[in-house]
Amino acid sequence: MKKIKQAEHGFTLIELLVVLAIIGLLAGLVGPQVMKHLGGAKTKAARTQIEDLSGALDMYRMDVGRYPTTAEGLSALVAKPASARSWNGPYLRKNKIPQDPWAYDYHYVSPGEHGRFDLFSLGADNAAGGEGEDQDINSWE
């Protein structure tokens, strides 16, 4: 009876290195594009949140007859200020004020320089100005 030597199955070291090199090249090309779109998604999320907060502020104005003062701030949307007689809130679904996508508080000024109120995020760097993810996102543009 002859013994038939069975071939061993598996990958050689060279094959594994070639596959790893291809994966590294793909990650180098695709990674920066994904990160660029991730930053854009946060900016879009901030714009959407500002629009939602602006809508809640408009509802507050319809009930109370004015926008919250700067001192009352956005917290007037979830807790009745002492000076608001016909408050009918809370005006936000989750009963809390959201932070911007970079985990900073939104800035609110009323009366605003650009309208009845100014509502804005300073972006990823939380400083005025900037480009890309660091740009300011506001309610008046």
Side-chain angles (χ1 to χ4, degrees):
M1 186 184 263
K2 284 187 175 179
K3 280 190 170 181
I4 301 173
K5 188 175 180 183
Q6 293 182 353
E8 293 183 31
H9 298 287
F11 297 105
T12 66
L13 181 60
I14 300 284
E15 291 170 328
L16 289 174
L17 289 175
V18 168
V19 169
L20 287 174
I22 291 170
I23 291 172
L25 285 171
L26 287 174
L29 294 171
V30 173
Q33 294 299 320
V34 169
M35 295 308 290
K36 183 173 82 172
H37 289 293
L38 179 62
K42 285 187 174 186
T43 300
K44 287 179 186 175
R47 286 189 201 287
T48 301
Q49 282 183 324
I50 286 174
E51 288 175 17
D52 290 345
L53 288 169
S54 295
L57 287 164
D58 289 338
M59 295 286 291
Y60 178 96
R61 181 177 174 261
M62 286 176 28
D63 288 344
V64 177
R66 62 172 177 80
Y67 288 105
T69 65
T70 301
E72 292 170 338
L74 295 175
S75 61
L77 298 174
V78 294
K80 181 181 179 184
S83 62
R85 288 181 287 171
S86 55
W87 189 83
N88 194 25
Y91 297 92
L92 298 176
R93 284 188 196 146
K94 294 187 179 179
N95 213 11
K96 75 176 211 177
I97 303 159
Q99 290 185 313
D100 70 13
W102 301 277
Y104 297 112
D105 291 333
Y106 283 100
H107 300 269
Y108 173 76
V109 179
S110 178
E113 293 180 25
H114 306 279
R116 294 185 179 218
F117 64 86
D118 291 349
L119 179 61
F120 57 97
S121 166
L122 295 176
D125 63 353
N126 201 33
E131 294 182 17
E133 259 194 278
D134 294 337
Q135 71 180 328
D136 299 347
I137 299 111
N138 51 54
S139 61
W140 59 87
E141 289 181 354

